[in-house]
Amino acid sequence: MSVTEMLDELKEKARHDAALREELLATRIEKNPLTAFCKKCQSLGYPVYEMELVNAGEEFYATMRRSTNGGGENSPLLEGEDDFYELFFAGL
C-alpha cells in the first residue's frame, strides 16, 4: 500500500472516529509534529515514515509539473500540492 493510500484510509477512519481525529490533531502541537504524526500512524498499523511522506509529495508534484506543458519553465507554479502532511490535515 502506498503512502497516499495509507493516508487516505487513515483520514477516512479519522472522519468517523472523533477520538482518533483528536489524537492525530494532537500530534501537530508536539515539538516535532511530523515525527509525532508518523509514530502515531505506525502505532495504528500504517508504516508511514517522515522521508517517505515528504518524498511521496515531491514525486507527485514533479509528475504534475512534467505533465503540464512538458514540465518546462512555462509550467504553472503549484503551491502546496507537494505537502501530503498538510493536505491530510486539511482533509480532516
Side-chain angles (χ1 to χ4, degrees):
M1 185 181 302
S2 72
V3 171
T4 54
E5 291 170 326
M6 288 186 277
L7 291 177
D8 286 343
E9 189 174 302
L10 187 56
K11 184 174 17 179
E12 194 59 34
K13 285 183 179 180
R15 284 181 179 160
H16 300 328
D17 183 342
L20 175 58
R21 184 171 50 252
E22 291 304 317
E23 289 175 22
L24 292 168
L25 288 170
T27 65
R28 294 179 61 90
I29 60 172
E30 295 289 328
K31 183 178 180 181
N32 296 308
L34 181 59
T35 300
F37 173 74
C38 289
K39 285 184 179 180
K40 184 63 182 173
C41 291
Q42 294 163 19
S43 75
L44 295 167
Y46 296 94
V48 176
Y49 298 92
E50 292 97 331
M51 286 310 300
E52 289 177 346
L53 183 55
V54 170
N55 191 44
E58 289 179 1
E59 285 179 5
F60 179 76
Y61 181 75
T63 301
M64 287 182 65
R65 289 277 299 190
R66 285 190 302 272
S67 71
T68 56
N69 294 330
E73 293 298 318
N74 293 325
S75 296
L77 293 176
L78 305 170
E79 293 186 28
E81 294 295 325
D82 63 338
D83 194 343
F84 284 7
Y85 173 74
E86 290 296 332
L87 290 172
F88 174 85
F89 285 104
L92 280 182

